[in-house]
Amino acid sequence: MAAGYTLIQERESRTLELLVALPVRVGQIVLAKLAAIVALAAGATLTLFTIDAAVVLARGIGSVAWVLGLLLVLLSALTFSTSAALLISLLAKDYRSSQNLTGAVVAPCVFLNIAVGVFVPGATLRLVVIAVFYAAGAAAALAVALRVVTFERLLR
């Protein structure tokens, strides 16, 4: 939500016009926003993940490979959600319409997770497959965002 809100709020408050005046490309603005949001989210989630991983390993609930698979899913899902949110905020005119478009991203992810859970054997392999799908989705969303973004689209 923070990633989508960042661009939309700047568009509504007209602070993006100041960024346009700087000697930077639009792709640099998008990548900088993506990096800032991922860093912010990773700081919170990795701290909580470390605590959870320590408890899981200490109690013998899961293996080291399983915990590393969970970390891989966490990082790829974090990158995917941030990239998708930035793409949605570039395509949406306001915050409400961006929230409506979010369902188009969330629903396929739910079905993907169910399909992987049903058809892929082994808990660790499931995690790796899901992480690969999320990483591919993040790359696709970022590529589309960088391809469709222009100063005009950013400001509208």
Side-chain angles (χ1 to χ4, degrees):
M1 288 183 60
Y5 186 72
T6 301
L7 278 178
I8 292 172
Q9 181 61 31
E10 284 196 33
R11 187 181 302 143
E12 290 176 353
S13 65
R14 301 267 189 218
T15 55
L16 280 174
E17 293 171 356
L18 296 174
L19 289 175
V20 172
L22 296 174
V24 294
R25 294 189 315 260
V26 177
Q28 291 173 323
I29 294 170
V30 171
L31 288 176
K33 290 194 172 295
L34 177 67
I37 296 297
V38 168
L40 174 70
T45 56
L46 289 178
T47 303
L48 296 173
F49 176 81
T50 303
I51 295 168
D52 289 343
V55 170
V56 165
L57 293 174
R59 294 195 176 201
I61 298 170
S63 67
V64 173
W66 187 70
V67 169
L68 290 175
L70 287 175
L71 178 62
L72 189 62
V73 169
L74 174 68
L75 294 175
S76 61
L78 179 66
T79 306
F80 171 71
S81 65
T82 305
S83 299
L86 281 172
L87 177 61
I88 288 171
S89 67
L90 288 170
L91 298 175
K93 293 184 186 222
D94 58 10
Y95 188 70
R96 176 181 275 175
S97 61
S98 73
Q99 293 302 307
N100 293 335
L101 290 173
T102 301
V105 174
V106 172
C109 292
V110 171
F111 292 121
L112 171 76
N113 287 334
I114 292 170
V116 169
V118 170
F119 296 114
V120 176
T124 305
L125 183 59
R126 283 185 196 124
L127 294 174
V128 171
V129 169
I130 289 172
V132 167
F133 278 125
Y134 281 143
L142 185 59
V144 170
L146 291 175
R147 187 166 194 80
V148 301
V149 65
T150 61
F151 281 122
E152 294 79 23
R153 182 176 293 262
L154 199 60
L155 294 174
R156 70 168 172 91

